[in-house]
Amino acid sequence: MAKAIPIATLTIFFLLVSTVFAQYQTGQQSQQQQQQFQFQQQEARQCRIQRLAASQPNQRIQSEGGVTEMWNEFEDQFQCVGVAAVRNIIQQNCLSLPNFSPSPRLVYIQQGQGLIGMSIPGCTETYQSGQQSVRGGSVRTTRQGEQRDQHQKVHRVRQGDIVALPAGVAHWCYNDGNEELVAVSVNDLNNNANQLEQKSRSFYLAGGHQQIYSSVQSAQQQQQQRETFQNVFRAFDENLMAEAFNLPVEVIRRMQQEDQRGFIVRVTGEGMRMIRPQEDEEYEERYQSRRANGLEEVYCNFKVRQYLDNPKEADIYVRQAGRINHANGEKLPILNYMDMSAEKGNLYPNAMHAPHWTMNAHSVFYVTRGEAHVQVVGSNGQTVLNDRVNQGDLFVVPQQFVSTIRAGNDGFEYVAFKTSSQPMKSPLVGYTSALKAMPIQVLANSFQISTQEAQSLKYNREHQTMLLPPRAVRSS
């Protein structure tokens, strides 16, 4: 006869089973939550654009010497293409303080002129004072009483220039001109160089917030923006920094003190003096092009600036329609390293940028002058942007989305920032178009049109390029 199992033992057994079952359920729920979280992350990374829109900056950092304006990077269109856009307005005799970013940046000088310097790691300070130098057949010496200095190359930038700023390279900008310097920049947050999250960041080596104006509704997003721009020296131990720089602690304290000037500051006195060649810019460009032999195209000697608005160097030109200038990896080799590029478009009144898609890059358009009617169509066959854009507007055209632009009565100018050093366009109209490359019978059967209509579809614009003049005007 079997022995009866004590009640206490049964109680312990059921408690153990209940505990194991509860742990199993908890594990299942945890796994489901983790899978749901991963799914939500994947959903967030997907480009589900239902509508694009031209937009203006919605955040403003007021500094002593200028203004930093930022577009809302949390908008779907910017999240989709993984970029962040900023416009800096630097007043005369003011300095945008040194900073660096984990993602590469392209800067277009919309107005004014100034000096930009970069501190490229591992490269020597090739600009030196306190000694004789020979260049262009003449000898120059340091002026009497001038303080000895040496630093890396300082670049003159003017309206119409595109400037390449690699990820992690500290840079600054000084307005020594007679008007405000306006610089529009786009950061490629999805670039392989950025191994942090997809978020705009700038690590400042000096300065601090003056005042932030924001129309962003989310308190969390506003707090994230405040944490995005801060002076990195401020949090270090002052004694540790004094030892690192071999400086008195009092100097370190001044470097770390709360600075209400912001990130663009006024320069004291009559202005900044630094080592600069005496040749004018035209001679310097001729000198650079004459001596370039391929050996200079190493990291430290990369050319970082290109004049993007030169009519004589247009890559596409149609007499009645306008011109397009490219800055890509062939013209500016540092862009191959950054995997970014830019183009400057100038459309004459009522001219059209032919319908096309960019095969390997997102495009971020900034309107520099005039107005235009822009249409963008997505893979769902629906129009995601159908609106007029005006000077100061910024809009996005994601990779593979088909777009077209018709200039207004006063013409239209733009600069487009692209997330590839060698962007490739596939036009729907013109002698290199996708439709022109197809047999007539394919077109006739695809669109249910006659062979004569298919022939007209192929050849009516066969002698024209990406820029189309108004129908009443025939291109030469």
Side-chain angles (χ1 to χ4, degrees):
M1 182 175 180
K3 294 182 179 180
I5 300 176
I7 295 177
T9 303
L10 286 174
T11 302
I12 294 173
F13 173 77
F14 283 118
L15 283 174
L16 288 172
V17 170
S18 300
T19 303
V20 171
F21 182 72
Q23 290 177 345
Y24 172 77
Q25 282 187 316
T26 303
Q28 287 291 99
Q29 291 175 353
S30 177
Q31 186 177 2
Q32 289 175 355
Q33 290 174 352
Q34 186 176 2
Q35 289 175 347
Q36 185 178 5
F37 177 71
Q38 291 174 349
F39 177 76
Q40 289 173 348
Q41 283 188 319
Q42 291 173 357
E43 286 284 302
R45 284 195 294 267
Q46 291 180 3
C47 192
R48 295 182 177 273
I49 291 295
Q50 301 299 323
R51 183 177 180 273
L52 298 171
S55 63
Q56 292 278 339
N58 76 323
Q59 295 174 84
R60 197 167 183 264
I61 298 178
Q62 181 69 52
S63 297
E64 175 190 61
V67 177
T68 301
E69 299 175 323
M70 296 170 289
W71 278 263
N72 183 10
E73 64 180 290
F74 300 104
E75 285 185 15
D76 288 343
Q77 58 181 349
F78 297 123
Q79 289 285 306
C80 170
V81 301
V83 300
V86 177
R87 181 167 60 204
N88 279 297
I89 302 173
I90 306 173
Q91 297 173 7
Q92 299 175 42
N93 196 34
C94 291
L95 171 71
S96 178
L97 293 172
N99 68 93
F100 60 93
S101 171
S103 55
R105 176 185 301 177
L106 279 184
V107 182
Y108 179 74
I109 308 300
Q110 183 181 0
Q111 175 185 304
Q113 68 171 357
L115 301 173
I116 286 182
M118 304 180 196
S119 302
I120 302 177
C123 299
T124 59
E125 294 80 18
T126 55
Y127 278 34
Q128 300 178 353
S129 63
Q131 61 183 17
Q132 289 186 341
S133 62
V134 179
R135 186 175 180 184
S138 60
V139 178
R140 297 183 178 84
T141 58
T142 304
R143 286 174 290 189
Q144 187 175 5
E146 182 176 318
Q147 191 173 14
R148 175 181 171 274
D149 191 14
Q150 61 183 28
H151 52 72
Q152 291 189 15
K153 183 177 181 179
V154 176
H155 306 268
R156 164 69 63 190
V157 294
R158 294 188 173 95
Q159 179 178 336
D161 282 347
I162 195 79
V163 183
L165 300 177
V169 171
H171 56 274
W172 52 266
C173 182
Y174 171 56
N175 181 358
D176 65 346
N178 298 319
E179 60 179 336
E180 289 183 336
L181 192 157
V182 181
V184 181
S185 61
V186 168
N187 283 50
D188 182 8
L189 306 180
N190 272 343
N191 194 280
N192 289 334
N194 180 24
Q195 298 186 32
L196 300 175
E197 77 273 33
Q198 186 177 304
K199 180 180 181 298
S200 175
R201 291 178 182 271
S202 288
F203 295 80
Y204 275 84
L205 302 181
H209 280 310
Q210 176 79 350
Q211 193 169 5
I212 303 177
Y213 304 91
S214 176
S215 60
V216 177
Q217 299 300 318
S218 167
Q220 180 181 2
Q221 291 176 0
Q222 292 186 36
Q223 181 61 30
Q224 287 176 345
Q225 282 295 350
R226 291 188 180 93
E227 295 172 353
T228 296
F229 307 97
Q230 290 295 342
N231 178 353
V232 297
F233 279 117
R234 189 168 299 164
F236 278 105
D237 179 81
E238 61 184 28
N239 294 308
L240 191 64
M241 290 296 98
E243 181 180 351
F245 286 97
N246 193 24
L247 287 173
V249 174
E250 291 74 17
V251 176
I252 301 299
R253 287 173 181 163
R254 287 199 297 272
M255 294 171 61
Q256 295 180 324
Q257 67 185 356
E258 189 74 23
D259 191 345
Q260 294 301 316
R261 297 178 301 166
F263 294 122
I264 305 173
V265 302
R266 294 193 181 279
V267 171
T268 57
E270 297 179 357
M272 295 198 305
R273 291 169 57 184
M274 59 196 70
I275 310 164
R276 289 278 298 151
Q278 299 300 313
E279 294 89 352
D280 60 33
E281 198 72 14
E282 182 180 0
Y283 173 82
E284 185 172 354
E285 290 294 328
R286 290 202 304 267
Y287 180 85
Q288 290 283 352
S289 61
R290 185 173 65 248
R291 72 186 180 92
N293 58 13
L295 297 177
E296 287 78 21
E297 295 301 342
V298 294
Y299 184 70
C300 292
N301 291 320
F302 270 143
K303 182 182 176 184
V304 299
R305 179 192 63 84
Q306 177 184 326
Y307 182 45
L308 195 56
D309 204 14
N310 188 348
K312 296 180 180 180
E313 296 183 355
D315 296 279
I316 298 174
Y317 173 68
V318 178
R319 184 173 296 177
Q320 293 89 357
R323 67 179 186 271
I324 294 178
N325 292 53
H326 293 143
N328 54 28
E330 293 181 2
K331 293 185 175 181
L332 203 58
I334 194 173
L335 295 179
N336 289 319
Y337 172 76
M338 296 169 54
D339 200 23
M340 296 185 73
S341 61
E343 75 175 37
K344 179 65 167 57
N346 185 328
L347 274 66
Y348 298 161
N350 301 310
M352 179 182 289
H353 195 302
H356 70 282
W357 67 91
T358 302
M359 301 167 64
N360 60 339
H362 302 303
S363 302
V364 182
F365 286 79
Y366 177 77
V367 182
T368 59
R369 188 188 68 82
E371 53 93 21
H373 181 201
V374 178
Q375 285 192 321
V376 181
V377 177
S379 58
N380 57 4
Q382 297 181 355
T383 303
V384 294
L385 174 59
N386 183 15
D387 205 353
R388 302 202 75 81
V389 296
N390 300 279
Q391 181 174 332
D393 283 342
L394 186 144
F395 63 95
V396 168
V397 179
Q399 176 191 13
Q400 311 290 354
F401 281 49
V402 182
S403 65
T404 186
I405 300 172
R406 176 181 280 281
N409 294 330
D410 296 324
F412 180 69
E413 294 183 22
Y414 67 87
V415 58
F417 304 86
K418 296 179 178 290
T419 58
S420 171
S421 63
Q422 300 288 349
M424 298 175 61
K425 292 181 180 179
S426 183
L428 287 171
V429 177
Y431 73 90
T432 60
S433 72
L435 298 185
K436 186 173 180 293
M438 298 179 187
I440 289 178
Q441 290 295 329
V442 171
L443 297 177
N445 285 276
S446 296
F447 299 117
Q448 293 184 309
I449 58 179
S450 68
T451 55
Q452 184 63 41
E453 290 168 331
Q455 187 173 26
S456 299
L457 178 64
K458 281 191 64 168
Y459 296 114
N460 275 2
R461 291 280 197 175
E462 69 171 322
H463 299 300
Q464 294 172 343
T465 59
M466 289 293 297
L467 300 181
L468 309 177
R471 292 185 65 181
V473 180
R474 294 185 179 273
S475 63
S476 60

